[in-house]
Amino acid sequence: MNENTPRVVVIGAGFGGLRAARALAKAPVNVTLMDRNNYHLFQPLLYQVATAGLAPEEIAYPIRRILRNQKNLDFRMADVVGIDLDARQVITNDGNIPYDLLIVAVGGMTNYYGLESVKSTGFELKGLHDANAIRNHLLFQFEQAAHEPDASRRQAQLTFVLVGGGPTGVECAGAIAELTRIVLAKDYPTINIKDVRVVLLEASDHLLTGIPLRLSEAAAETLWSKHVEVRFGNAVIDFDGQQIFLKSGERLPCQTLIWAAGVRAAGLADKLRVEKGRQGRIKVTQTLQLPQYPQVFVIGDAAYLEDENGQPLPMVAPVAIQQANLAVANIRRLISGETLREFHYKDPGALATIGRNAAVAHLGRWNFTGFLAWVTWLVVHIFQLIGFRNRLIVLINWAWDYIFYDRGVRLIIPQEKLKIEMIEPDVPTKVAV
Ligand SMILES: Cc1cc2nc3c(=O)[nH]c(=O)nc-3n(C[C@H](O)[C@H](O)[C@H](O)COP(=O)(O)OP(=O)(O)OC[C@H]3O[C@@H](n4cnc5c(N)ncnc54)[C@H](O)[C@@H]3O)c2cc1C
């Protein structure tokens, strides 16, 4: 390709960005894919890393490995700190990169709705470092409780509270309950399992918004059967690391709060002076472009677009992937002077697992629960993982855990001190464009 070949920069190698970069393989463009990490992360299985079921490298895959055969692509590991939309430059911590066309696919981050105490004292589940931190903490709580003489302190150490009854909260609660009851109960014979509490707090009156009520009730019943206390209609207002303060005035002694109650667009969206919708997401046209800057496409969690009923599209992987496909198709049309197409979301449905043999599935007209839903969940997730090696290892791990009632990654590994200056996700920077 000559120097007049258009340069497409893709920011973010998550579900949307990676799909877009791959789909551009045969387009008459040069592609620069950028991410602050050198790996693509399969976020739906993060909770399994947090609960000692899988190792981090089993759900992450090096970006350079995935794309090494793509001739028109160059990968840059860098933190994007701003975009100069008028000068058509991506501003990074490592210099500026010009573009002719841009795809912004920076995803989302945790939304604490201003609850600073929860942000500083609780845990979130967004990246591998979060999952490692939760796993270390859960196991360390058991180490401490095993020789804690004071009963009330011990119970607080062994109380694990998840906030938010969406897929992450539900799946994580089920997995923690099983980790503690099936595996850790054997590792720590001096701990009375009755001291262990797993609590799922949901502010509304049902779990897994968006799926039929029957499935949502089935999910709550299954969680109860696995010893998870599911509590509705109460919001968290504070957490000091020793107790949770609820809106009702109740205090819940506990040392572990995992916040899964909100998402918003990633920090880069805040830095752009363009119109935003709910959750700080960037408003795009039906063709996925910025209204004032048609050479810029925004897709996935970072983009705000409403469906036919005026509801914002959900922040889920299928939206990001379908939007990536359309953004690339529209870039091709833009280059060849054709009319661009509009985005229409095709909802493939929802799946959530609640531990061993239990899941709920809402796939079009098909709604089902129990073992069949669980097998469907397993097959879909194995199929979606990137890399044959990862698929095989995850499959072997799951089979081992299923047969032997075990969890292979019960290691407390203090977070490494890196010798290079690592990029802090979404920290405010001086550059604002
Ligand atoms: C724990 C968890 C479980 C989930 N489970 C499901 C599920 O079961 N099913 C489902 O459909 N969805 C699920 N989701 C949501 C799904 O992961 C997201 O909707 C999807 O990842 C959005 O894709 P995206 O491409 O917009 O962003 P992402 O996949 O989040 O990718 C964004 C990428 O941009 C990079 N990035 C961000 N900011 C910068 C910057 N400034 N500079 C450089 N790089 C940057 C990030 O490192 C990341 O690689 C889950 C999410 C989480 C956190």
Side-chain angles (χ1 to χ4, degrees), residues 34-65:
M34 312 182 67
D35 201 292
R36 58 162 64 108
N37 297 315
N38 76 334
Y39 54 83
H40 167 78
L41 177 63
F42 190 71
Q43 295 177 28
L45 288 180
L46 259 182
Y47 81 93
Q48 296 227 351
V49 176
T51 55
L54 294 174
E57 62 272 22
E58 286 157 21
I59 64 160
Y61 211 68
I63 295 164
R64 285 184 183 275
R65 171 68 187 86

PDB file of all heavy atoms in Angstrom, residues 34-65:
ATOM      1  N   MET A  34      -4.756   0.254  18.933  1.00  0.00           N
ATOM      2  CA  MET A  34      -4.097   0.714  20.165  1.00  0.00           C
ATOM      3  C   MET A  34      -4.842   0.196  21.385  1.00  0.00           C
ATOM      4  O   MET A  34      -6.070   0.165  21.400  1.00  0.00           O
ATOM      5  CB  MET A  34      -4.117   2.240  20.224  1.00  0.00           C
ATOM      6  CG  MET A  34      -3.679   2.874  18.952  1.00  0.00           C
ATOM      7  SD  MET A  34      -3.677   4.627  19.111  1.00  0.00           S
ATOM      8  CE  MET A  34      -2.367   4.797  20.276  1.00  0.00           C
ATOM      9  N   ASP A  35      -4.089  -0.183  22.411  1.00  0.00           N
ATOM     10  CA  ASP A  35      -4.720  -0.545  23.681  1.00  0.00           C
ATOM     11  C   ASP A  35      -3.692  -0.307  24.788  1.00  0.00           C
ATOM     12  O   ASP A  35      -2.492  -0.431  24.563  1.00  0.00           O
ATOM     13  CB  ASP A  35      -5.166  -2.009  23.698  1.00  0.00           C
ATOM     14  CG  ASP A  35      -6.249  -2.255  24.740  1.00  0.00           C
ATOM     15  OD1 ASP A  35      -5.948  -2.172  25.960  1.00  0.00           O
ATOM     16  OD2 ASP A  35      -7.406  -2.507  24.362  1.00  0.00           O
ATOM     17  N   ARG A  36      -4.187  -0.010  25.978  1.00  0.00           N
ATOM     18  CA  ARG A  36      -3.257   0.176  27.101  1.00  0.00           C
ATOM     19  C   ARG A  36      -2.723  -1.164  27.593  1.00  0.00           C
ATOM     20  O   ARG A  36      -1.710  -1.216  28.276  1.00  0.00           O
ATOM     21  CB  ARG A  36      -3.937   0.929  28.247  1.00  0.00           C
ATOM     22  CG  ARG A  36      -5.191   0.279  28.797  1.00  0.00           C
ATOM     23  CD  ARG A  36      -5.527   0.828  30.160  1.00  0.00           C
ATOM     24  NE  ARG A  36      -5.846   2.212  30.146  1.00  0.00           N
ATOM     25  CZ  ARG A  36      -7.063   2.729  30.318  1.00  0.00           C
ATOM     26  NH1 ARG A  36      -8.092   1.923  30.479  1.00  0.00           N
ATOM     27  NH2 ARG A  36      -7.257   4.014  30.336  1.00  0.00           N
ATOM     28  N   ASN A  37      -3.423  -2.255  27.249  1.00  0.00           N
ATOM     29  CA  ASN A  37      -2.941  -3.599  27.588  1.00  0.00           C
ATOM     30  C   ASN A  37      -2.431  -4.289  26.327  1.00  0.00           C
ATOM     31  O   ASN A  37      -2.862  -3.955  25.221  1.00  0.00           O
ATOM     32  CB  ASN A  37      -4.075  -4.441  28.177  1.00  0.00           C
ATOM     33  CG  ASN A  37      -4.598  -3.848  29.478  1.00  0.00           C
ATOM     34  OD1 ASN A  37      -3.819  -3.450  30.335  1.00  0.00           O
ATOM     35  ND2 ASN A  37      -5.904  -3.764  29.606  1.00  0.00           N
ATOM     36  N   ASN A  38      -1.552  -5.298  26.512  1.00  0.00           N
ATOM     37  CA  ASN A  38      -1.083  -6.015  25.323  1.00  0.00           C
ATOM     38  C   ASN A  38      -1.908  -7.282  25.099  1.00  0.00           C
ATOM     39  O   ASN A  38      -1.516  -8.154  24.359  1.00  0.00           O
ATOM     40  CB  ASN A  38       0.412  -6.337  25.433  1.00  0.00           C
ATOM     41  CG  ASN A  38       0.691  -7.492  26.367  1.00  0.00           C
ATOM     42  OD1 ASN A  38      -0.088  -7.763  27.290  1.00  0.00           O
ATOM     43  ND2 ASN A  38       1.793  -8.186  26.142  1.00  0.00           N
ATOM     44  N   TYR A  39      -3.062  -7.367  25.771  1.00  0.00           N
ATOM     45  CA  TYR A  39      -3.897  -8.564  25.608  1.00  0.00           C
ATOM     46  C   TYR A  39      -5.360  -8.174  25.425  1.00  0.00           C
ATOM     47  O   TYR A  39      -5.801  -7.096  25.814  1.00  0.00           O
ATOM     48  CB  TYR A  39      -3.761  -9.480  26.843  1.00  0.00           C
ATOM     49  CG  TYR A  39      -4.039  -8.777  28.148  1.00  0.00           C
ATOM     50  CD1 TYR A  39      -5.341  -8.596  28.610  1.00  0.00           C
ATOM     51  CD2 TYR A  39      -2.997  -8.276  28.929  1.00  0.00           C
ATOM     52  CE1 TYR A  39      -5.600  -7.938  29.805  1.00  0.00           C
ATOM     53  CE2 TYR A  39      -3.247  -7.617  30.124  1.00  0.00           C
ATOM     54  CZ  TYR A  39      -4.546  -7.456  30.546  1.00  0.00           C
ATOM     55  OH  TYR A  39      -4.806  -6.796  31.711  1.00  0.00           O
ATOM     56  N   HIS A  40      -6.085  -9.117  24.796  1.00  0.00           N
ATOM     57  CA  HIS A  40      -7.541  -8.997  24.683  1.00  0.00           C
ATOM     58  C   HIS A  40      -8.132  -9.817  25.826  1.00  0.00           C
ATOM     59  O   HIS A  40      -7.733 -10.965  26.048  1.00  0.00           O
ATOM     60  CB  HIS A  40      -7.998  -9.564  23.331  1.00  0.00           C
ATOM     61  CG  HIS A  40      -9.482  -9.779  23.258  1.00  0.00           C
ATOM     62  ND1 HIS A  40     -10.367  -8.754  23.045  1.00  0.00           N
ATOM     63  CD2 HIS A  40     -10.230 -10.897  23.396  1.00  0.00           C
ATOM     64  CE1 HIS A  40     -11.610  -9.222  23.039  1.00  0.00           C
ATOM     65  NE2 HIS A  40     -11.541 -10.531  23.248  1.00  0.00           N
ATOM     66  N   LEU A  41      -9.081  -9.227  26.536  1.00  0.00           N
ATOM     67  CA  LEU A  41      -9.623  -9.874  27.732  1.00  0.00           C
ATOM     68  C   LEU A  41     -11.054 -10.339  27.495  1.00  0.00           C
ATOM     69  O   LEU A  41     -11.886  -9.568  27.004  1.00  0.00           O
ATOM     70  CB  LEU A  41      -9.599  -8.861  28.889  1.00  0.00           C
ATOM     71  CG  LEU A  41     -10.201  -9.321  30.212  1.00  0.00           C
ATOM     72  CD1 LEU A  41      -9.425 -10.492  30.789  1.00  0.00           C
ATOM     73  CD2 LEU A  41     -10.231  -8.164  31.206  1.00  0.00           C
ATOM     74  N   PHE A  42     -11.318 -11.580  27.884  1.00  0.00           N
ATOM     75  CA  PHE A  42     -12.685 -12.112  27.789  1.00  0.00           C
ATOM     76  C   PHE A  42     -13.379 -11.843  29.135  1.00  0.00           C
ATOM     77  O   PHE A  42     -13.357 -12.673  30.047  1.00  0.00           O
ATOM     78  CB  PHE A  42     -12.637 -13.614  27.465  1.00  0.00           C
ATOM     79  CG  PHE A  42     -13.980 -14.185  27.121  1.00  0.00           C
ATOM     80  CD1 PHE A  42     -14.594 -13.860  25.922  1.00  0.00           C
ATOM     81  CD2 PHE A  42     -14.637 -15.024  27.992  1.00  0.00           C
ATOM     82  CE1 PHE A  42     -15.848 -14.376  25.605  1.00  0.00           C
ATOM     83  CE2 PHE A  42     -15.891 -15.543  27.682  1.00  0.00           C
ATOM     84  CZ  PHE A  42     -16.493 -15.215  26.492  1.00  0.00           C
ATOM     85  N   GLN A  43     -13.982 -10.657  29.226  1.00  0.00           N
ATOM     86  CA  GLN A  43     -14.534 -10.199  30.519  1.00  0.00           C
ATOM     87  C   GLN A  43     -15.619 -11.114  31.112  1.00  0.00           C
ATOM     88  O   GLN A  43     -15.715 -11.218  32.333  1.00  0.00           O
ATOM     89  CB  GLN A  43     -15.077  -8.777  30.375  1.00  0.00           C
ATOM     90  CG  GLN A  43     -13.988  -7.771  30.069  1.00  0.00           C
ATOM     91  CD  GLN A  43     -14.534  -6.366  29.845  1.00  0.00           C
ATOM     92  OE1 GLN A  43     -15.556  -5.977  30.362  1.00  0.00           O
ATOM     93  NE2 GLN A  43     -13.838  -5.594  29.042  1.00  0.00           N
ATOM     94  N   PRO A  44     -16.455 -11.765  30.291  1.00  0.00           N
ATOM     95  CA  PRO A  44     -17.499 -12.595  30.900  1.00  0.00           C
ATOM     96  C   PRO A  44     -16.979 -13.693  31.832  1.00  0.00           C
ATOM     97  O   PRO A  44     -17.735 -14.186  32.674  1.00  0.00           O
ATOM     98  CB  PRO A  44     -18.227 -13.190  29.680  1.00  0.00           C
ATOM     99  CG  PRO A  44     -18.072 -12.145  28.623  1.00  0.00           C
ATOM    100  CD  PRO A  44     -16.676 -11.608  28.840  1.00  0.00           C
ATOM    101  N   LEU A  45     -15.705 -14.088  31.699  1.00  0.00           N
ATOM    102  CA  LEU A  45     -15.197 -15.126  32.614  1.00  0.00           C
ATOM    103  C   LEU A  45     -14.285 -14.561  33.703  1.00  0.00           C
ATOM    104  O   LEU A  45     -13.647 -15.322  34.437  1.00  0.00           O
ATOM    105  CB  LEU A  45     -14.464 -16.213  31.815  1.00  0.00           C
ATOM    106  CG  LEU A  45     -15.378 -17.126  30.985  1.00  0.00           C
ATOM    107  CD1 LEU A  45     -14.565 -18.175  30.240  1.00  0.00           C
ATOM    108  CD2 LEU A  45     -16.410 -17.832  31.869  1.00  0.00           C
ATOM    109  N   LEU A  46     -14.265 -13.251  33.854  1.00  0.00           N
ATOM    110  CA  LEU A  46     -13.418 -12.637  34.892  1.00  0.00           C
ATOM    111  C   LEU A  46     -13.770 -13.154  36.283  1.00  0.00           C
ATOM    112  O   LEU A  46     -12.905 -13.358  37.135  1.00  0.00           O
ATOM    113  CB  LEU A  46     -13.636 -11.125  34.897  1.00  0.00           C
ATOM    114  CG  LEU A  46     -12.605 -10.234  34.222  1.00  0.00           C
ATOM    115  CD1 LEU A  46     -12.987  -8.790  34.385  1.00  0.00           C
ATOM    116  CD2 LEU A  46     -11.198 -10.494  34.776  1.00  0.00           C
ATOM    117  N   TYR A  47     -15.060 -13.370  36.516  1.00  0.00           N
ATOM    118  CA  TYR A  47     -15.482 -13.791  37.860  1.00  0.00           C
ATOM    119  C   TYR A  47     -14.887 -15.159  38.205  1.00  0.00           C
ATOM    120  O   TYR A  47     -14.704 -15.485  39.372  1.00  0.00           O
ATOM    121  CB  TYR A  47     -17.025 -13.793  37.968  1.00  0.00           C
ATOM    122  CG  TYR A  47     -17.663 -15.021  37.395  1.00  0.00           C
ATOM    123  CD1 TYR A  47     -17.959 -16.120  38.195  1.00  0.00           C
ATOM    124  CD2 TYR A  47     -17.943 -15.121  36.040  1.00  0.00           C
ATOM    125  CE1 TYR A  47     -18.516 -17.262  37.665  1.00  0.00           C
ATOM    126  CE2 TYR A  47     -18.498 -16.242  35.500  1.00  0.00           C
ATOM    127  CZ  TYR A  47     -18.782 -17.315  36.314  1.00  0.00           C
ATOM    128  OH  TYR A  47     -19.307 -18.448  35.787  1.00  0.00           O
ATOM    129  N   GLN A  48     -14.552 -15.964  37.180  1.00  0.00           N
ATOM    130  CA  GLN A  48     -13.952 -17.270  37.470  1.00  0.00           C
ATOM    131  C   GLN A  48     -12.492 -17.119  37.909  1.00  0.00           C
ATOM    132  O   GLN A  48     -11.991 -17.930  38.674  1.00  0.00           O
ATOM    133  CB  GLN A  48     -14.036 -18.162  36.233  1.00  0.00           C
ATOM    134  CG  GLN A  48     -15.465 -18.472  35.859  1.00  0.00           C
ATOM    135  CD  GLN A  48     -15.712 -19.941  35.581  1.00  0.00           C
ATOM    136  OE1 GLN A  48     -14.768 -20.732  35.511  1.00  0.00           O
ATOM    137  NE2 GLN A  48     -16.963 -20.289  35.424  1.00  0.00           N
ATOM    138  N   VAL A  49     -11.824 -16.066  37.432  1.00  0.00           N
ATOM    139  CA  VAL A  49     -10.475 -15.784  37.924  1.00  0.00           C
ATOM    140  C   VAL A  49     -10.577 -15.278  39.363  1.00  0.00           C
ATOM    141  O   VAL A  49      -9.807 -15.674  40.239  1.00  0.00           O
ATOM    142  CB  VAL A  49      -9.770 -14.743  37.017  1.00  0.00           C
ATOM    143  CG1 VAL A  49      -8.394 -14.364  37.569  1.00  0.00           C
ATOM    144  CG2 VAL A  49      -9.623 -15.291  35.597  1.00  0.00           C
ATOM    145  N   ALA A  50     -11.576 -14.453  39.622  1.00  0.00           N
ATOM    146  CA  ALA A  50     -11.752 -13.891  40.971  1.00  0.00           C
ATOM    147  C   ALA A  50     -12.091 -14.975  41.994  1.00  0.00           C
ATOM    148  O   ALA A  50     -11.844 -14.801  43.185  1.00  0.00           O
ATOM    149  CB  ALA A  50     -12.856 -12.838  40.947  1.00  0.00           C
ATOM    150  N   THR A  51     -12.672 -16.087  41.533  1.00  0.00           N
ATOM    151  CA  THR A  51     -13.098 -17.128  42.482  1.00  0.00           C
ATOM    152  C   THR A  51     -12.271 -18.407  42.318  1.00  0.00           C
ATOM    153  O   THR A  51     -12.757 -19.502  42.598  1.00  0.00           O
ATOM    154  CB  THR A  51     -14.607 -17.427  42.313  1.00  0.00           C
ATOM    155  OG1 THR A  51     -14.860 -17.764  40.937  1.00  0.00           O
ATOM    156  CG2 THR A  51     -15.455 -16.236  42.687  1.00  0.00           C
ATOM    157  N   ALA A  52     -11.047 -18.249  41.849  1.00  0.00           N
ATOM    158  CA  ALA A  52     -10.042 -19.322  41.836  1.00  0.00           C
ATOM    159  C   ALA A  52     -10.347 -20.466  40.873  1.00  0.00           C
ATOM    160  O   ALA A  52      -9.752 -21.531  40.958  1.00  0.00           O
ATOM    161  CB  ALA A  52      -9.816 -19.869  43.255  1.00  0.00           C
ATOM    162  N   GLY A  53     -11.260 -20.234  39.930  1.00  0.00           N
ATOM    163  CA  GLY A  53     -11.612 -21.285  38.977  1.00  0.00           C
ATOM    164  C   GLY A  53     -10.670 -21.334  37.781  1.00  0.00           C
ATOM    165  O   GLY A  53     -10.357 -22.404  37.267  1.00  0.00           O
ATOM    166  N   LEU A  54     -10.243 -20.167  37.321  1.00  0.00           N
ATOM    167  CA  LEU A  54      -9.359 -20.094  36.153  1.00  0.00           C
ATOM    168  C   LEU A  54      -8.188 -19.173  36.452  1.00  0.00           C
ATOM    169  O   LEU A  54      -8.310 -18.263  37.290  1.00  0.00           O
ATOM    170  CB  LEU A  54     -10.129 -19.554  34.936  1.00  0.00           C
ATOM    171  CG  LEU A  54     -11.266 -20.419  34.369  1.00  0.00           C
ATOM    172  CD1 LEU A  54     -12.010 -19.664  33.262  1.00  0.00           C
ATOM    173  CD2 LEU A  54     -10.745 -21.752  33.829  1.00  0.00           C
ATOM    174  N   ALA A  55      -7.072 -19.381  35.730  1.00  0.00           N
ATOM    175  CA  ALA A  55      -5.920 -18.485  35.864  1.00  0.00           C
ATOM    176  C   ALA A  55      -6.081 -17.330  34.873  1.00  0.00           C
ATOM    177  O   ALA A  55      -6.717 -17.501  33.830  1.00  0.00           O
ATOM    178  CB  ALA A  55      -4.642 -19.257  35.568  1.00  0.00           C
ATOM    179  N   PRO A  56      -5.499 -16.158  35.188  1.00  0.00           N
ATOM    180  CA  PRO A  56      -5.685 -14.990  34.320  1.00  0.00           C
ATOM    181  C   PRO A  56      -5.377 -15.256  32.852  1.00  0.00           C
ATOM    182  O   PRO A  56      -6.117 -14.836  31.961  1.00  0.00           O
ATOM    183  CB  PRO A  56      -4.715 -13.953  34.891  1.00  0.00           C
ATOM    184  CG  PRO A  56      -4.503 -14.359  36.295  1.00  0.00           C
ATOM    185  CD  PRO A  56      -4.693 -15.847  36.367  1.00  0.00           C
ATOM    186  N   GLU A  57      -4.276 -15.986  32.588  1.00  0.00           N
ATOM    187  CA  GLU A  57      -3.873 -16.156  31.183  1.00  0.00           C
ATOM    188  C   GLU A  57      -4.835 -17.043  30.392  1.00  0.00           C
ATOM    189  O   GLU A  57      -4.746 -17.126  29.173  1.00  0.00           O
ATOM    190  CB  GLU A  57      -2.437 -16.705  31.097  1.00  0.00           C
ATOM    191  CG  GLU A  57      -2.223 -18.062  31.708  1.00  0.00           C
ATOM    192  CD  GLU A  57      -1.873 -17.991  33.190  1.00  0.00           C
ATOM    193  OE1 GLU A  57      -2.188 -16.975  33.833  1.00  0.00           O
ATOM    194  OE2 GLU A  57      -1.300 -18.970  33.701  1.00  0.00           O
ATOM    195  N   GLU A  58      -5.766 -17.701  31.096  1.00  0.00           N
ATOM    196  CA  GLU A  58      -6.716 -18.550  30.380  1.00  0.00           C
ATOM    197  C   GLU A  58      -7.865 -17.745  29.768  1.00  0.00           C
ATOM    198  O   GLU A  58      -8.602 -18.236  28.923  1.00  0.00           O
ATOM    199  CB  GLU A  58      -7.263 -19.632  31.323  1.00  0.00           C
ATOM    200  CG  GLU A  58      -6.221 -20.699  31.585  1.00  0.00           C
ATOM    201  CD  GLU A  58      -6.440 -21.470  32.866  1.00  0.00           C
ATOM    202  OE1 GLU A  58      -7.575 -21.477  33.374  1.00  0.00           O
ATOM    203  OE2 GLU A  58      -5.461 -22.053  33.366  1.00  0.00           O
ATOM    204  N   ILE A  59      -8.036 -16.511  30.219  1.00  0.00           N
ATOM    205  CA  ILE A  59      -9.129 -15.706  29.635  1.00  0.00           C
ATOM    206  C   ILE A  59      -8.594 -14.444  28.933  1.00  0.00           C
ATOM    207  O   ILE A  59      -9.363 -13.557  28.586  1.00  0.00           O
ATOM    208  CB  ILE A  59     -10.183 -15.330  30.685  1.00  0.00           C
ATOM    209  CG1 ILE A  59      -9.601 -14.421  31.775  1.00  0.00           C
ATOM    210  CG2 ILE A  59     -10.797 -16.561  31.313  1.00  0.00           C
ATOM    211  CD1 ILE A  59     -10.665 -13.664  32.530  1.00  0.00           C
ATOM    212  N   ALA A  60      -7.280 -14.387  28.786  1.00  0.00           N
ATOM    213  CA  ALA A  60      -6.690 -13.244  28.082  1.00  0.00           C
ATOM    214  C   ALA A  60      -5.762 -13.793  26.999  1.00  0.00           C
ATOM    215  O   ALA A  60      -5.207 -14.877  27.148  1.00  0.00           O
ATOM    216  CB  ALA A  60      -5.904 -12.368  29.048  1.00  0.00           C
ATOM    217  N   TYR A  61      -5.600 -13.047  25.925  1.00  0.00           N
ATOM    218  CA  TYR A  61      -4.798 -13.555  24.816  1.00  0.00           C
ATOM    219  C   TYR A  61      -3.985 -12.405  24.228  1.00  0.00           C
ATOM    220  O   TYR A  61      -4.535 -11.310  24.024  1.00  0.00           O
ATOM    221  CB  TYR A  61      -5.736 -14.141  23.761  1.00  0.00           C
ATOM    222  CG  TYR A  61      -5.127 -15.283  22.984  1.00  0.00           C
ATOM    223  CD1 TYR A  61      -4.849 -16.493  23.610  1.00  0.00           C
ATOM    224  CD2 TYR A  61      -4.828 -15.154  21.638  1.00  0.00           C
ATOM    225  CE1 TYR A  61      -4.283 -17.542  22.906  1.00  0.00           C
ATOM    226  CE2 TYR A  61      -4.262 -16.198  20.925  1.00  0.00           C
ATOM    227  CZ  TYR A  61      -3.991 -17.388  21.569  1.00  0.00           C
ATOM    228  OH  TYR A  61      -3.421 -18.428  20.872  1.00  0.00           O
ATOM    229  N   PRO A  62      -2.684 -12.605  23.964  1.00  0.00           N
ATOM    230  CA  PRO A  62      -1.861 -11.490  23.460  1.00  0.00           C
ATOM    231  C   PRO A  62      -2.382 -10.958  22.115  1.00  0.00           C
ATOM    232  O   PRO A  62      -2.623 -11.733  21.182  1.00  0.00           O
ATOM    233  CB  PRO A  62      -0.475 -12.113  23.276  1.00  0.00           C
ATOM    234  CG  PRO A  62      -0.500 -13.380  24.037  1.00  0.00           C
ATOM    235  CD  PRO A  62      -1.914 -13.840  24.106  1.00  0.00           C
ATOM    236  N   ILE A  63      -2.538  -9.650  22.039  1.00  0.00           N
ATOM    237  CA  ILE A  63      -3.091  -9.041  20.822  1.00  0.00           C
ATOM    238  C   ILE A  63      -2.168  -9.300  19.623  1.00  0.00           C
ATOM    239  O   ILE A  63      -2.612  -9.620  18.528  1.00  0.00           O
ATOM    240  CB  ILE A  63      -3.297  -7.525  21.036  1.00  0.00           C
ATOM    241  CG1 ILE A  63      -4.357  -7.308  22.114  1.00  0.00           C
ATOM    242  CG2 ILE A  63      -3.713  -6.835  19.733  1.00  0.00           C
ATOM    243  CD1 ILE A  63      -4.383  -5.902  22.682  1.00  0.00           C
ATOM    244  N   ARG A  64      -0.872  -9.196  19.859  1.00  0.00           N
ATOM    245  CA  ARG A  64       0.073  -9.394  18.743  1.00  0.00           C
ATOM    246  C   ARG A  64      -0.019 -10.823  18.192  1.00  0.00           C
ATOM    247  O   ARG A  64       0.178 -11.053  17.007  1.00  0.00           O
ATOM    248  CB  ARG A  64       1.506  -9.088  19.189  1.00  0.00           C
ATOM    249  CG  ARG A  64       1.752  -7.603  19.313  1.00  0.00           C
ATOM    250  CD  ARG A  64       3.196  -7.302  19.649  1.00  0.00           C
ATOM    251  NE  ARG A  64       3.383  -5.875  19.834  1.00  0.00           N
ATOM    252  CZ  ARG A  64       3.603  -5.009  18.853  1.00  0.00           C
ATOM    253  NH1 ARG A  64       3.665  -5.426  17.611  1.00  0.00           N
ATOM    254  NH2 ARG A  64       3.756  -3.724  19.111  1.00  0.00           N
ATOM    255  N   ARG A  65      -0.315 -11.790  19.085  1.00  0.00           N
ATOM    256  CA  ARG A  65      -0.464 -13.178  18.627  1.00  0.00           C
ATOM    257  C   ARG A  65      -1.720 -13.314  17.750  1.00  0.00           C
ATOM    258  O   ARG A  65      -1.694 -13.971  16.705  1.00  0.00           O
ATOM    259  CB  ARG A  65      -0.552 -14.108  19.843  1.00  0.00           C
ATOM    260  CG  ARG A  65      -0.924 -15.550  19.537  1.00  0.00           C
ATOM    261  CD  ARG A  65       0.192 -16.254  18.769  1.00  0.00           C
ATOM    262  NE  ARG A  65      -0.198 -17.576  18.313  1.00  0.00           N
ATOM    263  CZ  ARG A  65      -0.839 -17.816  17.172  1.00  0.00           C
ATOM    264  NH1 ARG A  65      -1.184 -16.818  16.389  1.00  0.00           N
ATOM    265  NH2 ARG A  65      -1.115 -19.047  16.805  1.00  0.00           N
TER     266      ARG A  65
END
